[in-house]
PDB file of all heavy atoms in Angstrom:
ATOM      1  N   GLN A  39     241.656  57.719 261.871  1.00 98.00           N
ATOM      2  CA  GLN A  39     241.186  58.978 262.413  1.00 98.00           C
ATOM      3  C   GLN A  39     242.396  59.818 262.822  1.00 98.00           C
ATOM      4  O   GLN A  39     243.076  59.496 263.790  1.00 98.00           O
ATOM      5  CB  GLN A  39     240.275  58.747 263.619  1.00 98.00           C
ATOM      6  CG  GLN A  39     239.621  59.975 264.171  1.00 98.00           C
ATOM      7  CD  GLN A  39     238.559  59.647 265.211  1.00 98.00           C
ATOM      8  OE1 GLN A  39     238.721  58.724 266.013  1.00 98.00           O
ATOM      9  NE2 GLN A  39     237.461  60.378 265.179  1.00 98.00           N
ATOM     10  N   GLN A  43     240.208  64.772 264.081  1.00 97.00           N
ATOM     11  CA  GLN A  43     239.479  64.724 262.827  1.00 97.00           C
ATOM     12  C   GLN A  43     238.439  63.625 262.791  1.00 97.00           C
ATOM     13  O   GLN A  43     238.252  62.919 263.772  1.00 97.00           O
ATOM     14  CB  GLN A  43     240.489  64.534 261.665  1.00 97.00           C
ATOM     15  CG  GLN A  43     241.550  65.620 261.581  1.00 97.00           C
ATOM     16  CD  GLN A  43     240.947  66.993 261.390  1.00 97.00           C
ATOM     17  OE1 GLN A  43     240.149  67.238 260.486  1.00 97.00           O
ATOM     18  NE2 GLN A  43     241.322  67.930 262.257  1.00 97.00           N
ATOM     19  N   GLY A  44     237.790  63.450 261.632  1.00 97.00           N
ATOM     20  CA  GLY A  44     236.743  62.463 261.504  1.00 97.00           C
ATOM     21  C   GLY A  44     237.289  61.112 261.057  1.00 97.00           C
ATOM     22  O   GLY A  44     238.488  60.845 261.082  1.00 97.00           O
ATOM     23  N   LEU A  45     236.358  60.259 260.646  1.00 98.00           N
ATOM     24  CA  LEU A  45     236.652  58.875 260.311  1.00 98.00           C
ATOM     25  C   LEU A  45     236.844  58.722 258.822  1.00 98.00           C
ATOM     26  O   LEU A  45     236.073  59.275 258.029  1.00 98.00           O
ATOM     27  CB  LEU A  45     235.536  57.986 260.799  1.00 98.00           C
ATOM     28  CG  LEU A  45     235.265  58.038 262.306  1.00 98.00           C
ATOM     29  CD1 LEU A  45     233.930  57.384 262.638  1.00 98.00           C
ATOM     30  CD2 LEU A  45     236.404  57.385 263.091  1.00 98.00           C
ATOM     31  N   TRP A  47     237.548  55.730 255.842  1.00 98.00           N
ATOM     32  CA  TRP A  47     237.663  54.298 255.449  1.00 98.00           C
ATOM     33  C   TRP A  47     238.807  54.131 254.495  1.00 98.00           C
ATOM     34  O   TRP A  47     238.939  54.874 253.510  1.00 98.00           O
ATOM     35  CB  TRP A  47     236.345  53.868 254.803  1.00 98.00           C
ATOM     36  CG  TRP A  47     236.251  52.404 254.442  1.00 98.00           C
ATOM     37  CD1 TRP A  47     235.869  51.385 255.271  1.00 98.00           C
ATOM     38  CD2 TRP A  47     236.505  51.845 253.159  1.00 98.00           C
ATOM     39  NE1 TRP A  47     235.869  50.211 254.560  1.00 98.00           N
ATOM     40  CE2 TRP A  47     236.251  50.440 253.250  1.00 98.00           C
ATOM     41  CE3 TRP A  47     236.915  52.328 251.939  1.00 98.00           C
ATOM     42  CZ2 TRP A  47     236.396  49.553 252.183  1.00 98.00           C
ATOM     43  CZ3 TRP A  47     237.049  51.465 250.859  1.00 98.00           C
ATOM     44  CH2 TRP A  47     236.795  50.076 251.013  1.00 98.00           C
ATOM     45  N   ARG A  50     239.236  47.173 252.899  1.00 97.00           N
ATOM     46  CA  ARG A  50     238.687  46.028 253.610  1.00 97.00           C
ATOM     47  C   ARG A  50     239.200  44.738 252.990  1.00 97.00           C
ATOM     48  O   ARG A  50     239.708  44.745 251.861  1.00 97.00           O
ATOM     49  CB  ARG A  50     237.161  46.054 253.542  1.00 97.00           C
ATOM     50  CG  ARG A  50     236.629  45.764 252.115  1.00 97.00           C
ATOM     51  CD  ARG A  50     235.112  45.714 252.068  1.00 97.00           C
ATOM     52  NE  ARG A  50     234.646  45.285 250.761  1.00 97.00           N
ATOM     53  CZ  ARG A  50     233.361  45.148 250.437  1.00 97.00           C
ATOM     54  NH1 ARG A  50     232.408  45.452 251.319  1.00 97.00           N
ATOM     55  NH2 ARG A  50     233.031  44.781 249.224  1.00 97.00           N
ATOM     56  N   TYR A  95     241.844  51.990 263.149  1.00 98.00           N
ATOM     57  CA  TYR A  95     240.913  51.012 263.715  1.00 98.00           C
ATOM     58  C   TYR A  95     240.622  49.911 262.691  1.00 98.00           C
ATOM     59  O   TYR A  95     240.494  50.186 261.495  1.00 98.00           O
ATOM     60  CB  TYR A  95     239.577  51.678 264.029  1.00 98.00           C
ATOM     61  CG  TYR A  95     239.571  52.691 265.125  1.00 98.00           C
ATOM     62  CD1 TYR A  95     239.553  54.068 264.833  1.00 98.00           C
ATOM     63  CD2 TYR A  95     239.520  52.314 266.478  1.00 98.00           C
ATOM     64  CE1 TYR A  95     239.501  55.024 265.835  1.00 98.00           C
ATOM     65  CE2 TYR A  95     239.494  53.280 267.495  1.00 98.00           C
ATOM     66  CZ  TYR A  95     239.498  54.618 267.156  1.00 98.00           C
ATOM     67  OH  TYR A  95     239.448  55.553 268.154  1.00 98.00           O
ATOM     68  N   PRO A 105     226.739  45.145 251.504  1.00 87.00           N
ATOM     69  CA  PRO A 105     226.697  46.223 252.504  1.00 87.00           C
ATOM     70  C   PRO A 105     226.281  45.708 253.889  1.00 87.00           C
ATOM     71  O   PRO A 105     225.296  44.968 254.016  1.00 87.00           O
ATOM     72  CB  PRO A 105     225.646  47.186 251.943  1.00 87.00           C
ATOM     73  CG  PRO A 105     225.642  46.959 250.494  1.00 87.00           C
ATOM     74  CD  PRO A 105     225.932  45.500 250.314  1.00 87.00           C
ATOM     75  N   ALA A 106     227.014  46.109 254.915  1.00 92.00           N
ATOM     76  CA  ALA A 106     226.718  45.694 256.265  1.00 92.00           C
ATOM     77  C   ALA A 106     227.352  46.677 257.221  1.00 92.00           C
ATOM     78  O   ALA A 106     228.432  47.223 256.932  1.00 92.00           O
ATOM     79  CB  ALA A 106     227.188  44.269 256.538  1.00 92.00           C
ATOM     80  N   PRO A 107     226.753  46.924 258.379  1.00 95.00           N
ATOM     81  CA  PRO A 107     227.316  47.879 259.332  1.00 95.00           C
ATOM     82  C   PRO A 107     228.500  47.293 260.096  1.00 95.00           C
ATOM     83  O   PRO A 107     228.656  46.061 260.198  1.00 95.00           O
ATOM     84  CB  PRO A 107     226.138  48.158 260.282  1.00 95.00           C
ATOM     85  CG  PRO A 107     225.323  46.892 260.211  1.00 95.00           C
ATOM     86  CD  PRO A 107     225.457  46.378 258.830  1.00 95.00           C
ATOM     87  N   PHE A 108     229.325  48.175 260.641  1.00 97.00           N
ATOM     88  CA  PHE A 108     230.476  47.776 261.449  1.00 97.00           C
ATOM     89  C   PHE A 108     229.978  47.598 262.877  1.00 97.00           C
ATOM     90  O   PHE A 108     229.785  48.571 263.605  1.00 97.00           O
ATOM     91  CB  PHE A 108     231.571  48.825 261.406  1.00 97.00           C
ATOM     92  CG  PHE A 108     232.116  49.112 260.031  1.00 97.00           C
ATOM     93  CD1 PHE A 108     232.629  50.346 259.707  1.00 97.00           C
ATOM     94  CD2 PHE A 108     232.106  48.139 259.044  1.00 97.00           C
ATOM     95  CE1 PHE A 108     233.137  50.638 258.450  1.00 97.00           C
ATOM     96  CE2 PHE A 108     232.604  48.399 257.762  1.00 97.00           C
ATOM     97  CZ  PHE A 108     233.118  49.641 257.470  1.00 97.00           C
ATOM     98  N   TRP A 111     234.453  46.852 266.749  1.00 98.00           N
ATOM     99  CA  TRP A 111     235.652  47.588 266.398  1.00 98.00           C
ATOM    100  C   TRP A 111     236.793  47.177 267.291  1.00 98.00           C
ATOM    101  O   TRP A 111     236.578  46.836 268.464  1.00 98.00           O
ATOM    102  CB  TRP A 111     235.405  49.100 266.586  1.00 98.00           C
ATOM    103  CG  TRP A 111     234.400  49.725 265.655  1.00 98.00           C
ATOM    104  CD1 TRP A 111     233.059  49.460 265.611  1.00 98.00           C
ATOM    105  CD2 TRP A 111     234.657  50.720 264.683  1.00 98.00           C
ATOM    106  NE1 TRP A 111     232.467  50.231 264.641  1.00 98.00           N
ATOM    107  CE2 TRP A 111     233.411  51.020 264.058  1.00 98.00           C
ATOM    108  CE3 TRP A 111     235.782  51.413 264.271  1.00 98.00           C
ATOM    109  CZ2 TRP A 111     233.300  51.991 263.051  1.00 98.00           C
ATOM    110  CZ3 TRP A 111     235.678  52.362 263.258  1.00 98.00           C
ATOM    111  CH2 TRP A 111     234.438  52.637 262.672  1.00 98.00           C
ATOM    112  N   GLY A 112     237.996  47.280 266.763  1.00 98.00           N
ATOM    113  CA  GLY A 112     239.178  47.140 267.601  1.00 98.00           C
ATOM    114  C   GLY A 112     239.361  48.389 268.457  1.00 98.00           C
ATOM    115  O   GLY A 112     238.624  49.380 268.302  1.00 98.00           O
TER     116      GLY A 112
ATOM    117  N   ASN B  34     224.278  54.276 258.530  1.00 98.00           N
ATOM    118  CA  ASN B  34     224.485  53.925 259.920  1.00 98.00           C
ATOM    119  C   ASN B  34     224.800  55.187 260.736  1.00 98.00           C
ATOM    120  O   ASN B  34     225.290  56.170 260.201  1.00 98.00           O
ATOM    121  CB  ASN B  34     225.651  52.953 260.080  1.00 98.00           C
ATOM    122  CG  ASN B  34     225.483  51.684 259.290  1.00 98.00           C
ATOM    123  OD1 ASN B  34     224.400  51.105 259.252  1.00 98.00           O
ATOM    124  ND2 ASN B  34     226.540  51.275 258.621  1.00 98.00           N
ATOM    125  N   TYR B  36     226.921  56.187 264.346  1.00 98.00           N
ATOM    126  CA  TYR B  36     227.851  55.732 265.368  1.00 98.00           C
ATOM    127  C   TYR B  36     228.036  56.826 266.403  1.00 98.00           C
ATOM    128  O   TYR B  36     227.939  58.031 266.124  1.00 98.00           O
ATOM    129  CB  TYR B  36     229.214  55.434 264.763  1.00 98.00           C
ATOM    130  CG  TYR B  36     229.227  54.313 263.746  1.00 98.00           C
ATOM    131  CD1 TYR B  36     228.989  54.573 262.399  1.00 98.00           C
ATOM    132  CD2 TYR B  36     229.470  52.991 264.144  1.00 98.00           C
ATOM    133  CE1 TYR B  36     228.982  53.519 261.482  1.00 98.00           C
ATOM    134  CE2 TYR B  36     229.485  51.955 263.219  1.00 98.00           C
ATOM    135  CZ  TYR B  36     229.234  52.226 261.897  1.00 98.00           C
ATOM    136  OH  TYR B  36     229.238  51.216 260.971  1.00 98.00           O
ATOM    137  N   GLN B  38     230.903  58.104 269.232  1.00 98.00           N
ATOM    138  CA  GLN B  38     232.292  57.963 269.632  1.00 98.00           C
ATOM    139  C   GLN B  38     232.590  58.854 270.824  1.00 98.00           C
ATOM    140  O   GLN B  38     232.432  60.065 270.753  1.00 98.00           O
ATOM    141  CB  GLN B  38     233.252  58.280 268.495  1.00 98.00           C
ATOM    142  CG  GLN B  38     234.707  57.982 268.838  1.00 98.00           C
ATOM    143  CD  GLN B  38     235.666  58.291 267.711  1.00 98.00           C
ATOM    144  OE1 GLN B  38     235.468  59.220 266.933  1.00 98.00           O
ATOM    145  NE2 GLN B  38     236.736  57.511 267.613  1.00 98.00           N
ATOM    146  N   LYS B  42     237.971  56.481 272.539  1.00 98.00           N
ATOM    147  CA  LYS B  42     237.342  55.158 272.343  1.00 98.00           C
ATOM    148  C   LYS B  42     237.015  54.952 270.857  1.00 98.00           C
ATOM    149  O   LYS B  42     236.946  55.896 270.071  1.00 98.00           O
ATOM    150  CB  LYS B  42     236.030  55.065 273.136  1.00 98.00           C
ATOM    151  CG  LYS B  42     236.220  55.193 274.635  1.00 98.00           C
ATOM    152  CD  LYS B  42     237.014  54.036 275.214  1.00 98.00           C
ATOM    153  CE  LYS B  42     237.070  54.088 276.708  1.00 98.00           C
ATOM    154  NZ  LYS B  42     237.895  52.971 277.278  1.00 98.00           N
ATOM    155  N   ALA B  43     236.800  53.691 270.519  1.00 98.00           N
ATOM    156  CA  ALA B  43     236.369  53.366 269.160  1.00 98.00           C
ATOM    157  C   ALA B  43     234.911  53.742 268.971  1.00 98.00           C
ATOM    158  O   ALA B  43     234.138  53.808 269.946  1.00 98.00           O
ATOM    159  CB  ALA B  43     236.546  51.891 268.901  1.00 98.00           C
ATOM    160  N   PRO B  44     234.498  54.006 267.748  1.00 98.00           N
ATOM    161  CA  PRO B  44     233.085  54.228 267.505  1.00 98.00           C
ATOM    162  C   PRO B  44     232.238  53.038 267.897  1.00 98.00           C
ATOM    163  O   PRO B  44     232.705  51.878 267.895  1.00 98.00           O
ATOM    164  CB  PRO B  44     233.031  54.471 265.979  1.00 98.00           C
ATOM    165  CG  PRO B  44     234.394  54.929 265.615  1.00 98.00           C
ATOM    166  CD  PRO B  44     235.303  54.170 266.543  1.00 98.00           C
ATOM    167  N   TYR B  87     228.590  60.189 264.281  1.00 98.00           N
ATOM    168  CA  TYR B  87     228.903  60.140 262.859  1.00 98.00           C
ATOM    169  C   TYR B  87     227.844  59.348 262.111  1.00 98.00           C
ATOM    170  O   TYR B  87     227.415  58.269 262.571  1.00 98.00           O
ATOM    171  CB  TYR B  87     230.239  59.461 262.618  1.00 98.00           C
ATOM    172  CG  TYR B  87     231.444  60.191 263.168  1.00 98.00           C
ATOM    173  CD1 TYR B  87     231.963  59.940 264.434  1.00 98.00           C
ATOM    174  CD2 TYR B  87     232.106  61.147 262.373  1.00 98.00           C
ATOM    175  CE1 TYR B  87     233.071  60.621 264.904  1.00 98.00           C
ATOM    176  CE2 TYR B  87     233.224  61.825 262.859  1.00 98.00           C
ATOM    177  CZ  TYR B  87     233.681  61.544 264.129  1.00 98.00           C
ATOM    178  OH  TYR B  87     234.799  62.208 264.591  1.00 98.00           O
ATOM    179  N   GLN B  89     227.339  57.288 258.441  1.00 98.00           N
ATOM    180  CA  GLN B  89     228.160  56.539 257.500  1.00 98.00           C
ATOM    181  C   GLN B  89     227.281  55.936 256.422  1.00 98.00           C
ATOM    182  O   GLN B  89     226.281  55.298 256.730  1.00 98.00           O
ATOM    183  CB  GLN B  89     228.905  55.405 258.203  1.00 98.00           C
ATOM    184  CG  GLN B  89     229.721  54.489 257.292  1.00 98.00           C
ATOM    185  CD  GLN B  89     229.721  53.049 257.730  1.00 98.00           C
ATOM    186  OE1 GLN B  89     228.956  52.650 258.609  1.00 98.00           O
ATOM    187  NE2 GLN B  89     230.597  52.242 257.159  1.00 98.00           N
ATOM    188  N   TYR B  91     227.037  53.152 253.385  1.00 95.00           N
ATOM    189  CA  TYR B  91     227.715  51.939 252.947  1.00 95.00           C
ATOM    190  C   TYR B  91     226.991  51.344 251.727  1.00 95.00           C
ATOM    191  O   TYR B  91     226.999  50.124 251.523  1.00 95.00           O
ATOM    192  CB  TYR B  91     227.900  50.943 254.091  1.00 95.00           C
ATOM    193  CG  TYR B  91     226.629  50.461 254.762  1.00 95.00           C
ATOM    194  CD1 TYR B  91     226.255  49.148 254.694  1.00 95.00           C
ATOM    195  CD2 TYR B  91     225.849  51.342 255.529  1.00 95.00           C
ATOM    196  CE1 TYR B  91     225.122  48.684 255.324  1.00 95.00           C
ATOM    197  CE2 TYR B  91     224.712  50.901 256.147  1.00 95.00           C
ATOM    198  CZ  TYR B  91     224.350  49.588 256.045  1.00 95.00           C
ATOM    199  OH  TYR B  91     223.233  49.134 256.696  1.00 95.00           O
ATOM    200  N   PRO B  95     233.990  53.742 248.173  1.00 95.00           N
ATOM    201  CA  PRO B  95     234.401  53.578 249.568  1.00 95.00           C
ATOM    202  C   PRO B  95     233.299  54.037 250.534  1.00 95.00           C
ATOM    203  O   PRO B  95     232.566  54.985 250.250  1.00 95.00           O
ATOM    204  CB  PRO B  95     235.604  54.511 249.676  1.00 95.00           C
ATOM    205  CG  PRO B  95     235.304  55.607 248.722  1.00 95.00           C
ATOM    206  CD  PRO B  95     234.590  54.951 247.557  1.00 95.00           C
ATOM    207  N   ASP B  96     233.159  53.301 251.630  1.00 96.00           N
ATOM    208  CA  ASP B  96     232.290  53.796 252.692  1.00 96.00           C
ATOM    209  C   ASP B  96     232.751  55.210 253.040  1.00 96.00           C
ATOM    210  O   ASP B  96     233.963  55.492 253.077  1.00 96.00           O
ATOM    211  CB  ASP B  96     232.438  52.937 253.934  1.00 96.00           C
ATOM    212  CG  ASP B  96     231.793  51.563 253.775  1.00 96.00           C
ATOM    213  OD1 ASP B  96     231.357  51.230 252.657  1.00 96.00           O
ATOM    214  OD2 ASP B  96     231.759  50.818 254.759  1.00 96.00           O
ATOM    215  N   PHE B  98     231.995  58.756 255.673  1.00 98.00           N
ATOM    216  CA  PHE B  98     231.392  59.247 256.922  1.00 98.00           C
ATOM    217  C   PHE B  98     231.067  60.718 256.835  1.00 98.00           C
ATOM    218  O   PHE B  98     231.752  61.462 256.095  1.00 98.00           O
ATOM    219  CB  PHE B  98     232.382  59.041 258.076  1.00 98.00           C
ATOM    220  CG  PHE B  98     232.657  57.600 258.417  1.00 98.00           C
ATOM    221  CD1 PHE B  98     233.625  56.883 257.715  1.00 98.00           C
ATOM    222  CD2 PHE B  98     231.957  56.937 259.402  1.00 98.00           C
ATOM    223  CE1 PHE B  98     233.898  55.556 258.002  1.00 98.00           C
ATOM    224  CE2 PHE B  98     232.213  55.615 259.715  1.00 98.00           C
ATOM    225  CZ  PHE B  98     233.183  54.916 259.012  1.00 98.00           C
TER     226      PHE B  98
END
Side-chain angles (χ1 to χ4, degrees):
Chain A
Q39 186 171 38
Q43 302 301 307
L45 301 166
W47 184 86
R50 69 177 187 180
Y95 293 102
F108 301 151
W111 293 66
Chain B
N34 302 317
Y36 297 89
Q38 187 179 34
K42 299 295 186 182
Y87 293 93
Q89 176 215 12
Y91 59 116
D96 289 6
F98 293 86

